[in-house]
Amino acid sequence: VRRRAVARGQVRMAPETAAALTALPKGDALVTAQLAGIMAAKRTSELIPLCHPLPLSHVEVTLEVGERSVEIRASAETTARTGVEMEALTAASVAALTVYDMAKAIDKEMTIGDVRLLEKTKT
C-alpha cells in the first residue's frame, strides 16, 4: 500500500524581496529551502514527539515565486502502515522557515502562513 500526502505553505514578502530570492547575501533561498524541506521530512520523528519514524520512498519540495510571495508545495510517500501527512507538513513548514531566515535581513515584514494539508491518499 502506497501512502502519499501533499502540503503547502506560503511566505508573503515585498516584491523586491521576491525578485531577489536567488541572489541573497546568504545565497539562493529557493535551493536552500528545497533542500531544508526534504531534510526536514526525513527527520520529522525527531522533531515531533510521538511521531513514528517512517521509511520515505519519495519526498519532493517545490517553490514557486510570485510577485509578493513564495508558494511551497511538499509531497511525501511511503509504503509504511501509517500516513505521511506530518512529513509533508514538516517539509512545507521548514522550507517556509528557511526562506524567511535567508531573507529576513532585507525584509522585516515577511509572514509565513497558510500551511495546510492539501491531499492524503492511500492506494
Side-chain angles (χ1 to χ4, degrees):
V1 174
R2 182 181 81 128
R3 297 172 192 270
R4 181 173 190 269
V6 180
R8 77 174 302 268
Q10 182 182 64
V11 184
R12 290 177 200 86
M13 61 193 60
E16 302 78 34
T17 306
L21 288 174
T22 59
L24 293 169
K26 285 186 168 185
D28 186 331
L30 303 177
V31 171
T32 306
Q34 181 183 38
L35 182 58
I38 292 168
M39 291 172 65
K42 293 179 176 192
R43 301 185 84 163
T44 299
S45 67
E46 296 174 35
L47 300 169
I48 300 174
L50 308 179
C51 194
H52 297 291
L54 296 180
L56 299 175
S57 54
H58 184 75
V59 177
E60 183 174 3
V61 177
T62 59
L63 294 92
E64 185 176 324
V65 180
E67 185 180 332
R68 295 180 171 268
S69 66
V70 175
E71 300 288 330
I72 300 158
R73 187 176 177 98
S75 64
E77 295 180 14
T78 189
T79 56
R81 295 179 9 178
T82 186
V84 288
E85 61 270 33
M86 293 310 299
E87 286 73 11
L89 286 162
T90 299
S93 299
V94 170
L97 288 166
T98 302
V99 170
Y100 185 96
D101 177 57
M102 292 191 71
K104 69 182 185 267
I106 64 167
D107 189 342
K108 307 289 188 216
E109 303 296 319
M110 285 184 297
T111 61
I112 295 172
D114 204 22
V115 176
R116 62 188 165 115
L117 186 66
L118 296 176
E119 171 188 323
K120 180 179 170 182
T121 58
K122 179 170 104 174
T123 56

